Amino acid sequence: MHVQKNGIRSMSIRKFLYILPFMALLAIFAYYPLYGWVYAFFDYSPPIPLSKSPFVGFQWFHSLVENQVKVDQLLQIIKNTFGLSGLNLLFSWLPMVFAIFLTEIKAVRFRKFIQTVTTLPNFISWVLVYSLAFTMFSSDGIVNGLLRQLGIDSPILPLQSSHHVWLMMWLWTTWKVLGWSAILYIAAIMGIDDSLYEAAHVDGATRMQVIRYVVLPSMLPTYFVLLMLQIASFLNNGLEQYFVFQNAFNKDSIQALDLYVYNLAMGGGSYSVSVAISMLKSLISVVLLFSVNGLSKLLRGEGIV
Amino acid sequence: MSDSTVNLTSQEQVRQSRFDKKVRYQVSATDKLISVVIYTLFSLFAFVCIYPFYSLIINTISANDISARGDVVFFPKHIHFQNYVDVFKIPGLGHAALVSIGRTVIGTSLTVGASAFLGFMFSQEDMWGRKFWYRYTIITMFFSAGIIPWYLTMRSLHLTNNFLAYILPTIVAPFFIILVKTFVESTPKELQQAASIDGAGVMTIFFRIMLPISKPILATVAIFAAVDQWNSFQDTLLLVTDSKLYSLQFILYNYINQASSLSTMVNLQNAGSTAMASLTTKQTTTSIRMTVTIIVVAPILLVYPIFQRFFVKGIMIGAVKG
C-alpha cells in the first residue's frame, strides 16, 4: 500500500518534470520581462549598463507631469489611444450585424463565397495591408489613376493626410478583421434551436421580427464576452498597424500609447521614461481586466477569464 | 469538445435545411427590399476585400510604364512576366525569403510539438500542481510587461540579432495549448486507461495514442502558427539590426519606403547584361514594390483557400473555451 502510494506520487512528480522545461521558457519570455520594469527607476542611458546607472526612484513618473508641455503631450497620446480604441469599441457590434445579415442570405454558395473572401484580409500582416493601401491610394495609385481617367484631377491621398486619421485607422482595421470577427456570431446563429424559428413562424413573425426577437437575443451573450475582453485590452491597441501607417502628416493623431513608447525608446533613446509609461499601462490593463471579470461575474455569474 | 464541433456541423445542416424546406415568411415588399440591400452590401464589401489583391496581380504582369501611372484598373495591359525574374536581382530578397521560410518551418514545428505535448500533459489530472501550472501558462495571454521592457530583457539575454529570438519565445503558446487540451479532454478516457493498464507509460500514451488521434486539431494549430510566423514583423523591428536576419515582411516594409533606389539598381544591372530594357519591362518604383508584395502575400493566398475550414474550426473551439 505504502509502496503504491509512493509510486503514484513519483509518477505525478515525473509528469511535472516533463513540462518543467516549457514552464521555464514561459518564465524567461513571459515573466522575466516584468523584471525590465526596474529600468523605470534608474537613469538608464546605453551603453552604460543598468548596474552602473544611478537609482532615481519615481523621478521618471514625476517627470511625465512635471510641466505643462509634457502634460499636454501625454494628454494628446491618451486622447489618441481613446480615439483609436474608442472607435473600435463604438462599432464593436458591427461583426454581429454582419453575421446576422450574412446568415440571412439563402444562396449557400454565394454566402460561402462572401464568407471566404471577407475573411481573407485577416490573414495578411499589417505591412501587407499598408502595401495594398499604398498601391490603391498613393498619388500614382489605382484609385487616383481611375479618377484621372474620369477627368477628375484632384487626387485623393488619405495616407498623406492629417485629417480623420482615427477614422481611417478604424476603416483599415474593419477591412482587415470584420469578416473574421463575424465567425463567432455565425457559429452562435447556427446553434439556435430550430423550434424557435418555427414558433416565430407560427406566430406570423416577419423576417425583421425573427431577427429582432429570435436571432439577436441569442447572440448577446457572445457579444457581452467579446465586449468585456475588448474593454480589458482598451489600452493595448497594438504597435504594428500604427507603426506602418505613421508618417509626418498623421504623426500627431496616430501616436497611441504603444507607438509613443516605441518612438520614445527606439527613436529617442529615452528607455527609462518609456518603461515607466509601459509599466503604468500594464498595471491599468490588469485593473481593467479584473474589473470586467468582476462585472461579468456579477452580471452572468461567471467570469470571462 | 469534438461533441460541440459535431453539433455545430449538424446544426449547420439543420439551418441550411430550414432554407431548403423553403419555410415561407410573408414575403412582403419590405422583405424583398431587405434582400436586395443585403446582397448589394455584401457584394460590395467582398469586392473591396478582394480587389486590392486582384489589382496587385494584374499590375505586376502589365507593362511597367502603364502600371506606374495607375492606369491598370480592371484588366492587365501588355502582359509580361519580367518583373518576377527581375525581383530576385534585388540584393537581400532571396536571403530574406530563406529567413522567413526558416522561421516558419522551424518555429511552426516546435510550436505544434510543444502545444501537442502540453495540451496532453495539462489533461493529466494526477500531475503535480496541474491547476497552478495551467493558470501560470494561460494568464500570460492577458498581460504583458510592454514592448520596451521586453526588448530590454531580450537584449540582456543576447537575443538581439539572433535567429533564436524568432523561435524560442513562440514555442509555448497558451491559445494553442487550450485548443489541444480541449480536444484531448473530448476523447474517450478509456483509450488512455486501457493503454495504462497494458503498462504503457505517459510518454508512450502521448506518442502512440494521443498524437495520432490529435491530428485534426494539430493541423489547425499548425496553420495558425505558420501564418503567425510568416506575418511576424514586430520582433524583427525591435530585435534585429543585422540585415542577414531580416524577414520578408521587414524587407517589404523597407522597400515601400525606398523602392526608387532599388528600381534604379535593378535597371543598372539589366543595362549591363542586356540591351536597352524597353519601357514595358523597365523596373519602376511601383513595379518593384508591387512584385515584392505579391511574393510576400503569395503563400497566404495559396494556403488560405485550402485551409480555411481549419481556421474556422480553430476559432470556434477556442471561443467555446476561452
Side-chain angles (χ1 to χ4, degrees):
Chain A
M1 184 68 189
H2 188 68
V3 174
Q4 200 184 358
K5 215 174 190 177
N6 266 346
I8 289 170
R9 175 139 186 90
S10 79
M11 193 60 219
S12 148
I13 298 277
R14 197 193 304 168
K15 281 182 178 173
F16 163 68
L17 291 179
Y18 286 143
I19 69 162
L20 185 60
F22 298 98
M23 298 300 103
L25 275 178
L26 268 183
I28 294 168
F29 295 111
Y31 288 93
Y32 177 56
L34 290 172
Y35 170 74
W37 283 1
V38 300
Y39 285 85
F41 302 99
F42 287 86
D43 185 7
Y44 172 69
S45 58
I48 300 162
L50 185 69
S51 53
K52 295 209 175 85
S53 305
F55 179 80
V56 295
F58 284 91
Q59 185 199 309
W60 295 114
F61 294 91
H62 288 301
S63 83
L64 292 174
V65 289
E66 73 188 355
N67 61 45
Q68 196 54 40
V69 181
K70 289 199 171 167
V71 170
D72 286 347
Q73 195 178 15
L74 197 62
L75 279 179
Q76 181 62 39
I77 302 307
I78 292 170
K79 214 171 103 186
N80 292 341
T81 309
F82 273 65
L84 291 160
S85 286
L87 269 179
N88 287 329
L89 202 59
L90 200 63
F91 289 98
S92 54
W93 47 268
L94 207 58
M96 182 165 66
V97 172
F98 184 94
I100 293 178
F101 287 106
L102 186 73
T103 46
E104 284 299 310
I105 293 176
K106 294 185 181 74
V108 177
R109 279 196 159 178
F110 181 70
R111 197 177 70 217
K112 288 249 159 84
F113 172 75
I114 298 281
Q115 207 190 329
T116 306
V117 165
T118 54
T119 316
L120 172 64
N122 184 61
F123 294 99
I124 65 171
S125 64
W126 277 111
V127 178
L128 281 164
V129 173
Y130 179 64
S131 183
L132 292 176
F134 199 90
T135 305
M136 290 295 126
F137 292 107
S138 66
S139 56
D140 49 11
I142 314 292
V143 170
N144 289 314
L146 195 62
L147 287 179
R148 252 193 324 274
Q149 284 178 9
L150 296 170
I152 302 166
D153 266 337
S154 52
I156 305 178
L157 299 168
L159 298 178
Q160 290 115 300
S161 158
S162 54
H163 303 293
H164 312 298
V165 175
W166 298 345
L167 190 67
M168 287 309 302
M169 288 305 113
W170 173 76
L171 280 172
W172 287 115
T173 308
T174 304
W175 179 78
K176 190 172 187 298
V177 306
L178 179 59
W180 176 250
S181 322
I183 287 183
L184 286 180
Y185 296 106
I186 293 172
I189 295 175
M190 297 303 183
I192 296 174
D193 195 333
D194 247 22
S195 58
L196 284 175
Y197 289 112
E198 276 153 26
H201 176 61
V202 170
D203 289 346
T206 64
R207 203 161 153 189
M208 287 316 271
Q209 281 171 328
V210 171
I211 291 175
R212 168 71 184 77
Y213 296 104
V214 178
V215 181
L216 197 59
S218 65
M219 281 196 292
L220 289 179
T222 310
Y223 178 64
F224 179 80
V225 173
L226 294 180
L227 185 69
M228 291 296 118
L229 286 174
Q230 207 177 345
I231 292 173
S233 61
F234 192 81
L235 295 183
N236 306 316
N237 40 16
L239 170 68
E240 244 175 270
Q241 177 184 7
Y242 309 130
F243 176 81
V244 294
F245 275 93
Q246 81 169 332
N247 55 39
F249 299 96
N250 60 24
K251 202 161 185 173
D252 287 337
S253 326
I254 209 171
Q255 281 200 100
L257 275 170
D258 280 329
L259 181 58
Y260 179 63
V261 161
Y262 172 86
N263 287 341
L264 260 186
M266 309 306 274
S270 319
Y271 291 99
S272 290
V273 71
S274 76
V275 171
I277 300 174
S278 275
M279 190 176 153
L280 288 176
K281 198 196 86 162
S282 293
L283 290 176
I284 296 173
S285 293
V286 169
V287 172
L288 273 176
L289 183 68
F290 279 114
S291 310
V292 296
N293 203 39
L295 187 67
S296 167
K297 275 185 183 149
L298 199 69
L299 295 176
R300 304 191 312 150
E302 57 173 325
I304 48 171
V305 182
Chain B
M1 193 42 50
S2 72
D3 283 357
S4 96
T5 323
V6 171
N7 262 333
L8 283 174
T9 48
S10 72
Q11 269 152 356
E12 186 175 12
Q13 278 157 8
V14 173
R15 172 88 177 150
Q16 275 167 17
S17 69
R18 189 171 77 87
F19 290 126
D20 293 343
K21 270 184 289 177
K22 297 224 170 21
V23 175
R24 286 198 183 83
Y25 299 102
Q26 307 296 328
V27 181
S28 64
T30 349
D31 280 349
K32 277 196 177 145
L33 187 69
I34 294 171
S35 287
V36 172
V37 173
I38 291 175
Y39 275 76
T40 317
L41 285 181
F42 275 111
S43 304
L44 270 177
F45 187 62
F47 176 77
V48 169
C49 285
I50 202 79
Y51 177 72
F53 298 97
Y54 172 75
S55 131
L56 261 181
I57 293 169
I58 59 170
N59 268 283
T60 55
I61 56 171
S62 294
N64 291 348
D65 52 331
I66 304 178
S67 84
R69 293 199 303 266
D71 283 346
V72 179
V73 178
F74 291 112
F75 302 103
K77 292 176 181 169
H78 305 289
I79 296 177
H80 72 98
F81 296 96
Q82 188 60 32
N83 291 344
Y84 287 92
V85 178
D86 283 352
V87 79
F88 287 100
K89 291 177 186 161
I90 303 174
L93 186 82
H95 193 80
L98 282 182
V99 170
S100 279
I101 293 169
R103 68 174 290 176
T104 303
V105 171
I106 300 170
T108 305
S109 325
L110 290 174
T111 305
V112 171
S115 308
F117 185 61
L118 290 173
F120 167 72
M121 289 308 286
F122 281 132
S123 74
Q124 300 290 303
E125 275 159 25
D126 59 336
M127 185 175 81
W128 181 74
R130 179 181 80 118
K131 271 199 176 143
F132 172 80
W133 294 111
Y134 186 59
R135 289 217 180 114
Y136 163 93
T137 307
I138 299 309
I139 206 157
T140 61
M141 287 205 297
F142 297 101
F143 77 86
S144 78
I147 41 174
I148 301 305
W150 188 75
Y151 161 75
L152 291 168
T153 45
M154 292 293 277
R155 205 183 52 183
S156 72
L157 295 169
H158 303 286
L159 284 170
T160 46
N161 288 328
N162 187 338
F163 185 75
L164 288 176
Y166 291 150
I167 308 292
L168 294 179
T170 64
I171 292 178
V172 181
F175 179 70
F176 300 148
I177 294 171
I178 295 179
L179 290 188
V180 178
K181 178 173 176 270
T182 314
F183 181 88
V184 170
E185 282 169 353
S186 76
T187 59
K189 278 231 155 51
E190 291 76 19
L191 266 178
Q192 290 190 45
Q193 280 166 1
S196 180
I197 289 166
D198 287 348
V202 66
M203 287 312 236
T204 316
I205 295 178
F206 172 66
F207 281 109
R208 304 290 279 276
I209 298 171
M210 289 323 291
L211 210 52
I213 64 171
S214 304
K215 264 185 207 151
I217 193 68
L218 295 184
T220 304
V221 170
I223 201 73
F224 270 114
V227 170
D228 283 353
Q229 279 285 0
W230 184 261
N231 281 341
S232 188
F233 170 72
Q234 198 168 304
D235 47 12
T236 319
L237 177 70
L238 282 164
L239 302 175
V240 173
T241 49
D242 178 359
S243 63
K244 282 204 170 62
L245 287 172
Y246 284 170
S247 64
L248 272 181
Q249 303 286 342
F250 191 77
I251 229 166
L252 171 65
Y253 175 77
N254 282 346
Y255 286 0
I256 299 171
N257 296 322
Q258 41 160 287
S260 64
S261 56
L262 288 167
S263 59
T264 319
M265 187 151 54
V266 172
N267 287 333
L268 281 175
Q269 276 188 29
N270 280 349
S273 58
T274 62
M276 269 266 289
S278 77
L279 278 179
T280 310
T281 58
K282 193 175 170 196
Q283 293 306 322
T284 65
T285 314
T286 316
S287 69
I288 293 272
R289 177 169 45 75
M290 287 178 173
T291 314
V292 175
T293 306
I294 291 288
I295 304 262
V296 180
V297 82
I300 304 279
L301 289 182
L302 293 175
V303 155
Y304 171 74
I306 309 169
F307 292 103
Q308 198 226 2
R309 62 198 176 91
F310 288 114
F311 291 120
V312 173
K313 200 162 85 188
I315 193 177
M316 282 182 182
I317 298 173
V320 175
K321 197 70 188 173

